[in-house]
Amino acid sequence: MRSLRPFFYLVIFWTVGAEASDPDLPFMEYLDQNHLVCLKWGFDSLQGSITFKLVVNTTGWVGFGLSPNGGMQGADIVMGGLGPSGSYFQDYHATGNSMPLVDEKQSYTLLSIIESEGQTIMTFQRAIQSCDEQDFHITAQAVKAIYAYGTTDDINYHASRRGTKEVNLLNYLPKSTITGPNYFMARVDNISVPQNHTYYHCKVMKLPTLNKKHHIYLVEPEIEHLDIVHHMLLYRCPSFVREQYDKPCFMGDIGDACFDTVASWAVGGGVFVLPENVGLPIGGEESEVFYRLEIHYNNPNGVKGRTDSSGLKLYYTDQLRQFDGATLTTGVLHFNHMEYIIPPKATNFHTYGVCNTSVFSQLLNPSPDLHVFAVLLHTHLAGRKIRVGQYRDGEQIDFLALDENYNFEYQEIISMGSTKTIKPGDEVVVECTYSTSSRTKVTKMGLGTTDEMCLAFLLYYPAIKITTCISHPNTLHPSLSTSNQMFEGKTTLSEEEIVEYEHLLKAVPQIQMVSDVQGNFSFYENGIIRDMKTTPTVICQNTNRSSRLCTTWIMSAAGIILFLIAIM
């Protein structure tokens, strides 16, 4: 069994205690699962400078970068070390999976580099807005941080000594302290994984009885086979689910009704720690509740004879937080009686799902403001971008989440830093952009890895009884009847036909479905997709960088939070 928790207690202690141990750099993340690569950072203002400290368990060269999609292509990289002749350090950019090129403008400044107790500690700084096209533009959105290192000072191929971690550098949320060793496991045990490309396994179970209410504050994946486990979801079941089983999913069993998301993990993710004021409720009145663990196995090579014992470890405490947290599932999901087709040879095909929170009143009244603190975005292999827009009184007021360089291999729950508030009556629209340019057959919305999904899991507080708010275009609408004929007898559509078909899917009435914790459903058949604004771009204000570096000051963690609240 491979746990993602080596040195777990040390990690949590250092995460919370970072301000005390290194007040100039209040934020910290381990970038790898074995805790050999640690990144600490701090910044003064969104127009100022950001300082990084990279600590790596090696005395060879070390590298750190910011990547649009988690890979080398387009990454902004620094590499350095302490060799026999002294320190070395340079700013690079990558054009592919090859040795990065030295930047014409060296935007990063080395502040110090030392070796101590088998570690290289490199501290460096750059302007947040570097105004250099060979640098990555740092914004308040999450960014994919990459790292690599060697065992000597000869900078060459890193082999397996590399990785990616998604972090929010400018909008970082302080994490929980660990309050004790109490946890329970939701796990499958030694199940047989078939050679199917896609296989979903479900285990409906009861968790250990807790006589009074507790809060889950940390979710840790424990995965035996990282190469085939694609994602895991733990759902709370409605009260009428009273049967335990351990078998393939979606076979018409009663547990198929369990869709109240409690915890989740997807490929590329790691340990998720909730904010200090939020916990996921467990125990007390819910002690008799059943849960369904769903694991998606992706076995593209059709390997036979594999077994797996993977699951989620959930740490809990009787020290209750201020708020109960929950997850709201939004976006587009397949409706059994309707077909949603994405044509082949499309370079930028858009799908949309809408959640009009006014429909909540049919199952819940009144509904409070919902404060979103984290999000998990999800598509399959054809997904390239995901945007989540928020609308009030028919006008877009914000983006709840953005990923302009979506990568199927890196799906993490991203903390938003400062919360964003969804008020009753607001609409949430999830837009996914797909590329099927290499496909010769249509792609359908469905469960398979080669099918598609378009989902945004919104983590929020205070918890309400609504679990799901999704939609599907009415593909039986008369205006789509002629469009469906486009696919008859054709292997591909023209670019103009693809644009027309996409427009029709967006224009027809959207059938919205809302469900609650007891499996009750409500439908609204006249949902609409409003236009989404262009993604905000970075406006670079190039000032005297040398002057700025001389006057840099670093905020404490509390100062950062107050600063972010002030600008929201």
Side-chain angles (χ1 to χ4, degrees):
M1 176 66 62
R2 181 173 184 180
S3 173
L4 304 184
R5 190 178 55 92
F7 312 115
F8 171 69
Y9 293 98
L10 176 61
V11 175
I12 299 300
F13 174 79
W14 195 8
T15 301
V16 178
E19 182 176 356
S21 60
D22 201 341
D24 287 343
L25 301 172
F27 308 126
M28 189 277 285
E29 283 278 0
Y30 279 104
L31 301 185
D32 68 321
Q33 296 172 359
N34 295 319
H35 303 152
L36 301 177
V37 182
C38 176
L39 178 70
K40 303 185 75 175
W41 74 96
F43 61 95
D44 49 8
S45 71
L46 298 185
Q47 285 74 43
S49 298
I50 184 167
T51 301
F52 299 97
K53 177 184 284 186
L54 185 68
V55 183
V56 185
N57 281 30
T58 185
T59 55
W61 65 270
V62 299
F64 168 78
L66 304 174
S67 167
N69 58 12
M72 289 283 288
Q73 181 77 38
D76 178 18
I77 296 170
V78 294
M79 292 189 287
L82 189 62
S85 302
S87 64
Y88 55 94
F89 178 87
Q90 277 189 303
D91 180 8
Y92 300 81
H93 64 279
T95 58
N97 292 324
S98 57
M99 180 65 187
L101 305 176
V102 177
D103 281 13
E104 294 179 7
K105 175 184 176 183
Q106 293 291 298
S107 302
Y108 290 80
T109 300
L110 178 65
L111 301 181
S112 67
I113 188 164
I114 62 172
E115 290 181 358
S116 175
E117 298 181 351
Q119 294 182 324
T120 296
I121 305 169
M122 184 169 72
T123 305
F124 50 98
Q125 188 178 71
R126 63 161 269 190
I128 292 174
Q129 298 181 7
S130 73
C131 299
D132 181 354
E133 290 303 313
Q134 294 177 335
D135 290 340
F136 189 92
H137 296 295
I138 300 175
T139 70
Q141 300 298 324
V143 60
K144 294 175 178 66
I146 62 175
Y147 70 87
Y149 60 93
T151 56
T152 70
D153 287 299
D154 295 325
I155 299 177
N156 49 33
Y157 183 55
H158 46 66
S160 62
R161 297 180 295 272
R162 60 166 299 278
T164 302
K165 173 78 173 181
E166 196 157 16
V167 295
N168 202 322
L169 294 173
L170 303 186
N171 216 354
Y172 193 78
L173 194 65
K175 295 183 178 181
S176 304
T177 59
I178 187 166
T179 56
N182 296 323
Y183 68 87
F184 55 81
M185 284 293 305
R187 182 176 64 192
V188 297
D189 295 302
N190 202 37
I191 65 159
S192 296
V193 179
Q195 64 182 115
N196 306 18
H197 189 160
T198 297
Y199 174 65
Y200 282 79
H201 192 91
C202 285
K203 181 177 182 179
V204 175
M205 72 196 88
K206 287 191 69 175
L207 297 177
T209 299
L210 298 172
N211 292 326
K212 66 176 184 178
K213 179 180 175 181
H214 290 64
H215 269 156
I216 298 167
Y217 61 91
L218 184 145
V219 179
E220 176 199 352
E222 192 163 286
I223 301 166
E224 183 174 10
H225 299 298
L226 281 167
D227 60 320
I228 58 172
V229 178
H230 173 265
H231 75 247
M232 299 185 289
L233 290 162
L234 182 67
Y235 297 107
R236 184 183 290 108
C237 296
S239 58
F240 59 79
V241 176
R242 313 297 299 169
E243 174 188 348
Q244 300 188 62
Y245 61 80
D246 193 354
K247 58 192 293 189
C249 300
F250 312 123
M251 304 294 289
D253 298 288
I254 193 168
D256 292 351
C258 308
F259 270 105
D260 180 9
T261 304
V262 176
S264 60
W265 174 88
V267 59
V271 174
F272 178 69
V273 186
L274 278 89
E276 295 175 328
N277 62 338
V278 182
L280 305 176
I282 190 77
E285 296 179 356
E286 296 191 350
S287 289
E288 297 304 313
V289 171
F290 284 69
Y291 293 81
R292 175 167 69 92
L293 175 65
E294 171 190 304
I295 302 183
H296 174 190
Y297 292 94
N298 181 36
N299 188 8
N301 297 320
V303 179
K304 298 180 182 179
R306 300 191 72 173
T307 60
D308 184 67
S309 299
S310 296
L312 297 169
K313 184 178 288 187
L314 299 103
Y315 285 80
Y316 64 90
T317 176
D318 60 0
Q319 303 297 309
L320 299 182
R321 274 79 187 292
Q322 183 179 1
F323 298 106
D324 288 347
T327 299
L328 179 66
T329 302
T330 64
V332 183
L333 272 181
H334 173 62
F335 283 14
N336 287 333
H337 63 292
M338 292 186 179
E339 195 170 56
Y340 198 132
I341 293 174
I342 302 172
K345 305 302 179 183
T347 54
N348 287 286
F349 190 87
H350 301 89
T351 66
Y352 298 89
V354 61
C355 169
N356 187 332
T357 60
S358 298
V359 184
F360 290 3
S361 63
Q362 299 178 23
L363 298 175
L364 174 73
N365 200 10
S367 177
D369 291 353
L370 306 181
H371 304 285
V372 181
F373 61 86
V375 63
L376 172 63
L377 303 176
H378 181 68
T379 76
H380 286 175
L381 294 170
R384 296 295 181 268
K385 300 180 183 182
I386 308 178
R387 304 194 301 165
V388 184
Q390 180 184 5
Y391 299 76
R392 186 169 298 158
D393 299 324
E395 299 292 331
Q396 186 177 354
I397 62 169
D398 202 355
F399 283 102
L400 294 178
L402 290 168
D403 192 338
E404 294 281 332
N405 296 280
Y406 180 82
N407 189 327
F408 177 78
E409 298 297 330
Y410 302 106
Q411 302 181 45
E412 280 199 272
I413 300 174
I414 301 302
S415 296
M416 298 170 64
S418 52
T419 60
K420 296 190 176 183
T421 301
I422 299 175
K423 290 186 170 294
D426 283 2
E427 294 170 285
V428 176
V429 174
V430 183
E431 175 197 75
C432 293
T433 303
Y434 303 100
S435 174
T436 59
S437 57
S438 62
R439 299 189 179 188
T440 58
K441 297 181 180 179
V442 298
T443 300
K444 297 181 179 181
M445 287 287 177
L447 297 173
T449 307
T450 55
D451 296 332
E452 271 307 331
M453 294 183 176
C454 179
L455 296 173
F457 297 91
L458 307 180
L459 284 72
Y460 71 92
Y461 66 84
I464 60 174
K465 300 300 184 183
I466 303 298
T467 62
T468 305
C469 185
I470 60 174
S471 73
H472 192 289
N474 184 357
T475 53
L476 303 179
H477 194 272
S479 65
L480 274 171
S481 61
T482 56
S483 174
N484 291 334
Q485 295 173 9
M486 294 179 185
F487 295 96
E488 295 179 3
K490 290 188 176 182
T491 55
T492 59
L493 302 181
S494 68
E495 186 175 341
E496 292 76 14
E497 288 173 323
I498 290 173
V499 170
E500 178 188 353
Y501 177 63
E502 178 189 300
H503 175 76
L504 286 171
L505 286 172
K506 182 181 178 182
V508 298
Q510 309 292 310
I511 301 175
Q512 182 177 326
M513 184 193 77
V514 175
S515 63
D516 67 10
V517 295
Q518 289 303 323
N520 300 308
F521 293 87
S522 180
F523 290 89
Y524 176 65
E525 297 184 353
N526 292 298
I528 61 173
I529 304 296
R530 304 186 188 279
D531 290 338
M532 194 172 289
K533 294 180 179 179
T534 303
T535 302
T537 56
V538 176
I539 300 175
C540 190
Q541 299 174 352
N542 200 348
T543 58
N544 188 312
R545 180 172 175 271
S546 61
S547 171
R548 182 166 58 245
L549 289 175
C550 291
T551 59
T552 292
W553 52 280
I554 305 294
M555 286 186 177
S556 67
I560 294 293
I561 298 302
L562 291 173
F563 172 76
L564 290 170
I565 292 173
I567 65 172
M568 293 303 292

